[in-house]
Structure formats: structure tokens, C-alpha cells
């Protein structure tokens, strides 16, 4: 209880003073991995639209939570304004902790814990966020994106390789200064963009050459260098394919209500997670996942292959993948327009009305402004695609300020509009 009270006091102070790094999406209310993915992909698409090279570097820290230096942490707390009796409380909280190893009936001697934040505690994650909060100061010309200890760096422009090497050197120095250890075996990078540089350049750290990969897992989504999403679609496809056999075996033994619960517990979450980004691809890429989802719905509902598609979706009050993609994007736009205070600060002013861009009184003044794009990559930006989708909504929908009401009415509209 005392930890929770201290957490609330410290967290409220950090929120009021706007201390936490805006690209830190871990252990923060309202900062979901889906939003982190959406923000990153919009950035990638916009730079690719400008025909710039984008290099994404992915870092892995060895036992990051266990190697936090207590003296450095207390020094940083003091710099952020935690001082006096409160700082002494944290010093007492971290000190005089002991640990031992138990194997069977044997137990080792007690040893003092001289580093690391208490894992499993209420305050541990927040203290770790403060420990790495200043990481972006090590290379201000680039943007470091974080999800707790998951550290990623993205650099842009046609001199990206030069910037990447410089940023890597600076980040490595920061990790060393803060007594955090990089796992060099897992260090890798991906090159995005339409400019093919081949093997002319490389990213190095001392004598080590970082491995260039064509696809990597980022926050649970497989991101490939072409942003085609084929690898992630295959990944999801094989994740849910096994449920065809499972559903076949149990559909005659379980009632329809339980089969519906099984679908939304084991299949639907895989389809829904990251759908804003991975379904932003040609239908030919996602077709097999669409067909598999239809098959699973028919099996779960005990329907034949002749059953029309819109019937199986209406029965479970859900949407096909392509429509669900648009549905999720429009929900995001609604949150940006009516509940922006509940979103991370990076989405502040994400969408603009035409009336805020020009002073002319036109029929589209209350519509969202569409910025110029120069390629199919730019058209995939949620900032652009979301504005398009929102502007095509009827006024009776776009003026609904209640999120729950909008969510319900939007689904009803999509069911009718797209004739599923």
C-alpha cells in the first residue's frame, strides 16, 4: 500500500512536470503498443514518400532491469526534482535488500543486492523509465523509440548511414556510462525506402558489423524492409491455422455460445492486433488470411461453405479484415479529434480541419485537411488515409462526440456500406 501511495505521488509529479520522454510507450497508461506501431509506421511511410532512406536499428539490453545502478538512479531522481526526505525514502527503499538461490533443499548464503530495480514491485517499472529517460539526449539529431527497455533508433535522409554510425557510437557510450550492457548478438538493422544502396554501406561499432536483416519483429509485429507485410500475414496465418482442426473437433460437443467465446479468445486477438498497419497492404497479400478467417467462422458456427459471408460476420457482430482495418483507423481518428487528452502527446494535433489551414468559407471547411503525398507510401500514412476515410463519413456520424456511441454507429454503418 505504501508503494502504491508513493507511485501515485511520483507519477502525478512526473505527469504535471511533463518529465517522461514522449516516445517512451512502456508502462504508461494510454501508451499502447498499437499506438507505438501506428506512430512509427506513419513516420516510415512519410519519409519513404519523400524518397529518403530510412534505417531502423534494434537494440537488445542484457538484464536491463537487474543492472540499474542505484547511485546513478538516485542522482537522476534528484535532477528530476525528487529531493529531500523523498529522495532519502527512495534511497532507503533501494538499500539493504538481499537475495539467495534455492535449489531443492539447499539454499545459498544471503547476498546484498547492489543494483537493479525490484522486479514485481509497483515502483520498479516507473523507476526504470526514469533511469533511461534521458537516452535521447545522447543523440539529439535522431529519435530513439522505447518500449520499456526495448530500444530502437530510426534515422532518415540520404546520409542515413553516416548518421546511423554516429548515433550508434553515441548510444553505445550512453549505455556504458549508465552501466547497461548491449547484447551484440541480437543487434541488427533494416533499411527501408525505395533507394537501393546494395552492399555499398555498412553500420559498424568498433570492429563489429551490425547484421542487416530484411525482416524483424517489432512489438509483436513482423516488419519487412518493403513494408509489404507478407511475413506478418504469414505469421498470423500460421498462428490461427491450427484452430481449424481444434474447432472441427469440439464444435459438436460445445454450445454455440462457448464456440463464440473460443473464437474471440484465441483467433480474433491475433487478427486485431496491429491491424491498422499490417492490413495497410493490397488485398492480394491479405487474401489468404481473409479466407482462413471466413473458414474459422463457418466452422465455429456450424455453417456450410454455401453460407453467405455477411451472415457469418453478422452472427458474431464482427467485420472482415479489410473492413476491420478501416474501422480501427476511424476509431483512432475519433479519439484524436474528441479525446486527444487520452492519447500520447505525439498525437497532439495529428489531424487538422480545413478551417484551421485556410480562412475560406467552403463546403469542406469542416472536413479534415489532406496533405500532399507523392507515392503509394504516402497514401498509406494513417494521417492521410484516416483523413480520407473520415471525410467520406456522413455528417450524422462524424459529429458524434461519445466514443461508445460512435463505435456502435460506425460498425452499423460499415455493415451496410460495405455490404459484407
Amino acid at each position: 500500500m505504501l508503494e502504491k501511495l508513493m507511485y501515485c505521488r511520483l507519477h502525478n509529479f512526473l505527469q504535471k512536470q511533463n518529465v517522461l520522454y514522449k516516445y517512451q510507450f512502456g508502462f504508461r497508461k494510454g501508451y499502447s503498443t498499437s499506438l507505438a506501431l501506428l506512430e512509427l509506421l506513419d513516420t516510415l511511410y512519410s519519409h519513404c514518400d519523400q524518397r529518403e532512406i530510412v534505417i531502423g536499428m534494434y537494440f537488445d539490453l542484457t538484464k536491463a532491469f537487474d543492472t540499474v545502478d542505484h547511485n546513478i538512479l538516485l542522482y537522476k531522481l534528484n535532477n528530476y526534482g525528487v529531493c529531500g526526505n523523498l529522495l532519502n525514502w527512495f534511497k532507503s527503499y533501494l538499500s539493504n535488500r538481499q537475495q539467495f538461490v534455492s535449489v531443492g533443499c539447499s539454499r545459498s548464503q544471503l547476498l546484498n543486492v547492489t543494483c537493479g530495480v525490484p522486479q514485481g514491485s509497483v515502483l520498479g517499472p516507473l523507476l526504470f523509465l526514469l533511469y533511461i529517460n534521458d537516452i535521447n539526449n545522447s543523440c539529439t539529431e535522431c529519435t530513439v523509440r522505447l518500449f520499456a527497455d526495448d530500444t530502437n533508433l530510426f534515422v532518415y535522409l540520404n546520409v542515413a548511414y553516416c548518421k546511423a554510425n554516429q548515433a550508434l557510437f553515441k548510444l553505445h557510450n550512453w549505455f556504458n556510462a549508465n552501466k547497461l550492457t548491449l547484447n551484440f548478438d541480437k543487434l541488427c538493422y533494416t533499411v527501408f525506402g525505395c533507394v537501393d544502396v546494395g552492399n555499398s554501406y555498412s553500420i559498424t561499432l568498433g570492429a563489429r558489423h551490425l547484421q542487416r536483416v530484411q525482416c524483424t519483429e517489432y512489438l509483436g509485429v513482423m516488419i519487412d524492409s518493403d513494408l509489404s507485410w507478407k511475413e506478418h500475414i504469414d505469421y498470423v496465418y500460421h498462428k490461427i491455422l491450427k484452430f481449424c482442426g481444434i474447432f472441427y473437433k469440439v464444435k459438436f460437443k460445445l454450445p454455440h455460445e462457448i464456440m463464440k467465446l473460443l473464437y474471440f479468445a484465441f483467433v480474433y486477438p491475433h487478427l486485431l492486433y496491429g491491424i491498422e498497419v499490417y492490413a495497410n497492404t493490397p488485398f492480394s497479400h491479405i487474401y489468404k488470411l481473409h479466407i482462413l478467417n471466413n473458414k474459422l467462422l463457418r466452422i465455429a458456427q456450424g455453417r456450410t461453405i454455401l453460407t453467405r459471408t455477411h451472415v457469418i460476420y453478422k452472427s458474431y457482430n464482427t467485420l472482415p479484415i479489410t473492413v476491420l482495418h478501416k474501422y480501427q483507423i476511424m476509431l483512432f481518428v475519433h479519439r484524436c479529434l474528441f479525446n486527444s487528452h487520452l492519447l500520447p502527446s505525439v498525437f497532439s494535433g495529428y489531424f487538422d480541419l480545413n478551417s484551421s489551414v485556410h480562412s475560406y468559407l467552403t463546403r469542406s471547411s469542416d472536413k479534415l485537411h489532406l496533405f500532399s503525398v507523392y507515392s503509394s507510401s504516402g497514401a498509406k500514412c494513417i494521417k492521410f488515409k484516416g483523413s480520407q476515410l473520415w471525410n467520406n463519413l456522413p455528417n450524422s456520424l462524424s459529429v458524434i462526440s461519445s466514443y461508445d456511441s460512435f463505435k456502435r454507429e460506425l460498425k452499423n454503418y460499415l455493415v451496410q456500406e460495405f455490404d459484407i
Side-chain angles (χ1 to χ4, degrees):
M1 186 176 293
L2 180 59
E3 272 196 72
K4 289 183 179 180
L5 291 172
M6 187 58 71
Y7 175 91
C8 292
R9 181 178 178 183
L10 179 60
H11 184 265
N12 291 339
F13 168 77
L14 297 175
Q15 289 290 99
K16 184 178 180 180
Q17 301 299 324
N18 195 27
V19 171
L20 293 178
Y21 181 46
K22 66 179 181 179
Y23 289 104
Q24 171 60 271
F25 282 80
F27 302 123
R28 301 178 68 181
K29 186 178 180 179
Y31 285 69
S32 66
T33 52
S34 295
L35 291 175
L37 284 167
L38 193 151
E39 188 278 328
L40 170 63
L41 268 298
D42 252 26
T43 302
L44 294 182
Y45 282 132
S46 62
H47 284 281
C48 290
D49 187 51
Q50 300 294 326
R51 297 188 63 82
E52 294 177 349
I53 299 173
V54 184
I55 298 177
M57 291 183 285
Y58 313 99
F59 303 91
D60 183 74
L61 297 175
T62 302
K63 297 184 178 180
F65 282 75
D66 294 330
T67 55
V68 170
D69 186 270
H70 290 172
N71 291 327
I72 296 176
L73 175 58
L74 292 170
Y75 176 80
K76 291 185 177 185
L77 283 172
N78 185 60
N79 281 345
Y80 288 131
V82 180
C83 52
N85 290 333
L86 192 57
L87 184 64
N88 290 332
W89 187 93
F90 278 104
K91 185 176 181 179
S92 174
Y93 174 77
L94 294 169
S95 60
N96 297 323
R97 290 181 176 268
Q98 295 181 314
Q99 64 182 9
F100 66 90
V101 177
S102 177
V103 179
C105 298
S106 302
R107 198 178 85 169
S108 69
Q109 294 180 343
L110 287 170
L111 292 176
N112 291 326
V113 179
T114 58
C115 61
V117 292
Q119 293 202 42
S121 64
V122 176
L123 281 168
L126 185 58
L127 291 176
F128 182 80
L129 295 190
L130 286 171
Y131 190 77
I132 64 171
N133 193 57
D134 61 328
I135 188 172
N136 196 59
N137 295 337
S138 63
C139 50
T140 54
E141 66 276 10
C142 303
T143 302
V144 180
R145 286 174 169 81
L146 302 166
F147 191 85
D149 62 328
D150 191 355
T151 308
N152 306 278
L153 181 68
F154 293 86
V155 295
Y156 321 103
L157 303 176
N158 294 324
V159 291
Y161 272 94
C162 180
K163 289 180 65 178
N165 279 290
Q166 294 173 358
L168 178 59
F169 176 76
K170 293 178 180 179
L171 266 182
H172 184 243
N173 288 340
W174 186 92
F175 286 129
N176 286 338
N178 288 272
K179 300 184 179 181
L180 295 173
T181 306
L182 281 173
N183 186 345
F184 287 99
D185 294 333
K186 295 185 178 180
L187 277 179
C188 61
Y189 73 97
T190 305
V191 181
F192 304 95
C194 55
V195 181
D196 186 11
V197 295
N199 298 317
S200 305
Y201 301 93
S202 63
I203 299 177
T204 60
L205 183 61
R208 299 176 183 270
H209 288 260
L210 267 68
Q211 179 186 6
R212 178 176 173 178
V213 296
Q214 297 301 315
C215 181
T216 188
E217 184 178 356
Y218 182 84
L219 299 180
V221 171
M222 307 300 294
I223 302 181
D224 60 278
S225 58
D226 297 326
L227 298 178
S228 66
W229 303 107
K230 291 181 180 179
E231 284 80 2
H232 182 72
I233 291 169
D234 286 341
Y235 172 76
V236 177
Y237 180 88
H238 289 101
K239 273 275 188 179
I240 65 176
L241 179 61
K242 60 185 177 183
F243 290 104
C244 286
I246 295 173
F247 283 6
Y248 266 126
K249 292 178 181 178
V250 301
K251 69 175 183 177
F252 297 112
K253 301 178 181 179
L254 298 175
H256 292 297
E257 293 78 9
I258 301 301
M259 291 301 300
K260 183 177 180 180
L261 289 176
L262 289 177
Y263 173 81
F264 281 102
F266 296 105
V267 176
Y268 187 73
H270 291 297
L271 298 173
L272 185 64
Y273 179 67
I275 197 170
E276 299 92 337
V277 294
Y278 83 77
N280 206 355
T281 189
F283 183 68
S284 58
H285 293 172
I286 211 166
Y287 176 73
K288 68 175 186 178
L289 190 59
H290 171 75
I291 295 299
L292 177 59
N293 188 39
N294 291 351
K295 183 178 181 180
L296 284 165
L297 285 169
R298 288 191 173 95
I299 297 171
Q301 297 175 26
R303 299 182 186 274
T304 67
I305 195 172
L306 299 177
T307 307
R308 296 186 61 184
T309 305
H310 77 275
V311 174
I312 60 176
Y313 282 98
K314 186 176 182 180
S315 177
Y316 276 11
N317 192 30
T318 186
L319 300 166
I321 294 173
T322 53
V323 184
L324 190 60
H325 163 68
K326 298 175 182 178
Y327 174 69
Q328 290 296 120
I329 290 177
M330 284 188 275
L331 290 182
F332 170 71
V333 177
H334 184 274
R335 292 171 66 190
C336 288
L337 296 177
F338 294 97
N339 296 286
S340 59
H341 62 285
L342 300 178
L343 290 172
S345 60
V346 293
F347 295 112
S348 178
Y350 212 64
F351 298 97
D352 297 314
L353 293 173
N354 283 325
S355 57
S356 65
V357 177
H358 59 75
S359 57
Y360 302 108
L361 186 61
T362 64
R363 286 179 295 179
S364 61
S365 295
D366 58 342
K367 300 291 185 180
L368 296 182
H369 179 68
L370 290 174
F371 61 90
S372 300
V373 296
Y374 307 100
S375 66
S376 58
S377 294
K380 290 180 179 180
C381 286
I382 301 300
K383 187 179 290 188
F384 180 84
K385 190 171 186 178
S387 298
Q388 274 189 325
L389 293 171
W390 186 267
N391 290 343
N392 290 330
L393 288 177
N395 290 333
S396 58
L397 265 178
S398 59
V399 297
I400 299 176
S401 59
S402 169
Y403 182 77
D404 291 334
S405 298
F406 176 77
K407 189 175 182 179
R408 182 177 58 255
E409 295 300 324
L410 176 63
K411 179 173 284 190
N412 293 335
Y413 168 75
L414 291 176
V415 168
Q416 300 170 4
E417 181 70 14
F418 296 101
D419 190 28
I420 50 178

